[in-house]
Amino acid sequence: MSSGNEYYFEYMRELLGERYSDFVAAYNDKPRYKALRVNTRKITVEQFKRLFGTPLKQNALCGNSFYCDVKPSLDPLYHAGLYYMQEPSAAAAVAAFAPYIGERVLDLCAAPGGKATQAAEYMSGGVLFCNDPEYKRTKALAENIERLGVSNAVVTCNTAGDYRRAGFDGYFDTLIVDAPCSGGGITRYEDVPYSAEIVAGCAARQRAVIDDATELLCRGGYMLYSTCTFAREENEDVVRYISSKGFRTVDIPLADGSERGIDEPNARRIYPMNFDGEGHFYCVLQKTAGGEAERASARKKRATATFGRLKLDIAEINGRFVLPFDLPSLDGLNAVKIGTAVFDGGKDAAHALTHALTDEQVRAFGTVELGELAGEYIRGKQLEVCAPQRGMLIATVGGHALGLVKSAPTGDGTSALKNHYPKYLRV
C-alpha cells in the first residue's frame, strides 16, 4: 500500500466499511489488468480471434473487450486499427450506454479516444464530435480516430461553453462526459495526489462543465456521465446535480462485476475487489426538459475520386477533400481534424483513407498482402514482394489495410515496394 495516499485509504475505509479489507487486498495483490477492444467497425470478434491467434479471456462487462497484455506498438494488427487498448473497467460504460447512442454525438472530454471510438461502433451514420479542451491531447485523439477508421468524426479543441457560444444548444442527441476527476481508480499504478481539497476542486469543475454541457443536449437525448474515481462528491453528487437540471437517471442492466451507486440505484460502480480492473463509475441520464435545435449544414462541394477500380464520392470542406458525412456548420469551433482526408497533398491517396475504406473498397483500390512482412512495413522498411500490379497499392495484413505502398519494377525482374507508411507512425 502506498504510504503517500493516507487520505485516499481513509476515504475508502469510510466509503466501504466492512468491505474495506477486500479492497486493500485487491489493491495490493491483484495485477494491473490490460485489455483490448476489438474494433467491430472493421472486423467481427470471431474473425479477430482467428487472426490474432492467441487465446483471449472475455471481459464480462463488454462483449468485444478481452484481457490481453500485448505490446500494441509492435503489432501490425493494432496499426491496422483492428483493436484499441482500453482498461477493462472503462470499456463497461459505453457498452452499457450503447442502446442510447444516436446520430448526433458529442464526447466532450474525449482524448485519447477510448469512449469516442467505442461509441462510433454503434453509430450507423451521423456525426461524432470528439472534443478535448487541451490542444496537446488532441493529437493522440486524432490519430486514434484515424487508425480505427472513423470517417464521420470531427476533432475539436473547445470547452462546453465554446459549443454553446457557437450555437449548439439543443443540437446533440447523445452526450458523453467522461469527466476529469481525482483519479482514485488509477492510484495503484500512477502517483496521483489525493486530498479533500483535490476532490472538492474536481467536483466543482465537473459541475461547471455540466452547467454548459446539459444545454447542448436536446430534449429526450441521453448523457453518459463517467469517472475513474470512487469519490461520492464526483460521482453520485454530480449525478444528482445533473438530475436537478431536468434529467432522469436510466436503469441500465446490472452486469456481473458492477454494483449500484450509493443512494443512486441507477448509477453503476466497479471496484477492483469485484472485478478484474481498476474501477469505474458511470450513469446514464435522459434529458426531460428543453428542445431540439437544427443547424445549418457545412458548405460542401461534391466531387468524385478514382483510385484503380475504386470510385469514391467525396466532399470538399474547408479546402480539403474528405469522405462525405452529415456535417453541420462548424462556425465558432476550433476544428483540429474534419472527417477522413482523401488526398495527401497532391493526387495520391491519403494514409487516413486506407483505414476508412470497407474491405470491398480496399480490394477495388488494389492490394498487396504482406503477411509476416507486416512487421517490417510498420518499421518503414522497403520490401521485396511480388506485387500483382504496379503503382500505388494498399498493403494489407490478414486482408486488412495497413497503409500505402508503391510497386515499381527492379532490374532483376522483381518488384520493390516503396514504403509509404507515415514516418510519425513507424516503430
Side-chain angles (χ1 to χ4, degrees), residues 5 17 30 41 71 102 114 131 141 145 175 190 193 196 218 226 251 256 276 285 318 341 356 415 425:
N5 282 312
K30 275 193 169 184
R41 290 174 61 94
K71 190 168 184 179
N131 178 76
L141 173 60
I145 291 290
L175 186 62
E190 286 191 22
C218 70
S226 62
D251 190 10
D256 290 345
D276 291 339
L285 303 99
N318 291 4
S415 297
L425 294 176

Side-chain angles (χ1 to χ4, degrees), residues 7-281:
Y7 175 80
Y8 173 71
F9 290 106
E10 190 56 39
Y11 187 101
M12 296 305 295
R13 183 194 302 277
E14 180 180 340
L15 183 78
L16 294 171
E18 62 184 18
R19 297 193 295 166
Y20 176 69
S21 60
D22 294 332
F23 171 80
V24 172
Y27 188 99
N28 289 331
D29 299 334
K30 275 193 169 184
R32 180 182 177 184
Y33 292 96
K34 297 181 181 179
L36 61 81
R37 192 190 76 241
V38 179
N39 180 13
T40 55
R41 290 174 61 94
K42 285 180 169 284
I43 192 170
T44 69
V45 168
E46 291 306 314
Q47 288 171 337
F48 179 80
K49 285 181 176 179
R50 290 194 294 270
L51 189 60
F52 193 68
T54 305
L56 295 168
K57 179 185 175 183
Q58 177 73 56
N59 175 356
L61 294 176
C62 179
N64 59 327
S65 173
F66 299 89
Y67 292 94
C68 184
D69 194 12
V70 67
K71 190 168 184 179
S73 63
L74 301 179
D75 185 5
L77 300 184
Y78 176 83
H79 287 255
L82 301 187
Y83 66 89
Y84 182 95
M85 297 301 295
Q86 187 175 28
E87 196 278 319
S89 304
V94 172
F97 189 50
Y100 309 100
I101 296 173
E103 297 304 302
R104 293 178 173 182
V105 181
L106 168 61
D107 187 341
L108 198 55
C109 313
K115 287 183 173 63
T117 56
Q118 190 175 7
E121 297 175 21
Y122 299 101
M123 297 176 67
S124 57
V127 58
L128 171 63
F129 281 78
C130 308
N131 178 76
D132 202 274
E134 293 187 33
Y135 183 78
K136 64 181 180 181
R137 290 168 56 86
T138 62
K139 180 181 178 182
L141 173 60
E143 287 180 2
N144 281 321
I145 291 290
E146 181 177 292
R147 182 174 57 83
L148 272 68
V150 183
S151 60
N152 61 330
V154 179
V155 177
T156 62
C157 182
N158 289 102
T159 65
D162 292 334
Y163 269 87
R164 293 202 65 196
R165 287 183 285 274
F168 279 88
D169 277 8
Y171 176 78
F172 295 99
D173 56 30
T174 308
L175 186 62
I176 298 173
V177 183
D178 191 38
C181 67
S182 58
I186 59 174
T187 59
R188 291 206 307 148
Y189 57 88
E190 286 191 22
D191 185 17
V192 178
Y194 209 84
S195 68
E197 292 75 20
I198 288 173
V199 169
C202 287
R205 284 192 294 272
Q206 290 153 4
R207 291 192 298 271
V209 170
I210 292 300
D211 284 340
D212 284 319
T214 52
E215 299 299 327
L216 300 173
L217 203 59
C218 70
R219 182 173 184 172
Y222 290 90
M223 175 193 294
L224 172 65
Y225 178 79
S226 62
T227 75
C228 62
T229 193
F230 303 120
R232 287 169 295 187
E233 296 90 332
E234 302 176 67
N235 293 335
E236 287 87 355
D237 288 359
V238 176
V239 166
R240 282 187 281 274
Y241 186 71
I242 298 170
S243 298
S244 72
K245 293 180 171 292
F247 283 73
R248 69 172 186 89
T249 60
V250 178
D251 190 10
I252 55 181
L254 185 64
D256 290 345
S258 67
E259 62 182 65
R260 296 189 182 276
I262 301 170
D263 299 325
E264 283 291 343
N266 290 345
R268 298 291 177 263
R269 280 178 169 261
I270 302 172
Y271 292 111
M273 67 277 201
N274 299 333
F275 179 76
D276 291 339
E278 302 304 322
H280 218 65
F281 173 90

Side-chain angles (χ1 to χ4, degrees), residues 381-413:
K381 306 293 185 183
Q382 181 170 300
L383 306 171
E384 298 293 333
V385 176
C386 184
Q389 63 194 73
R390 294 181 184 177
M392 199 68 77
L393 302 170
I394 296 178
T396 61
V397 56
H400 298 276
L402 263 177
L404 293 162
V405 292
K406 190 168 186 179
S407 174
T410 61
D412 60 4

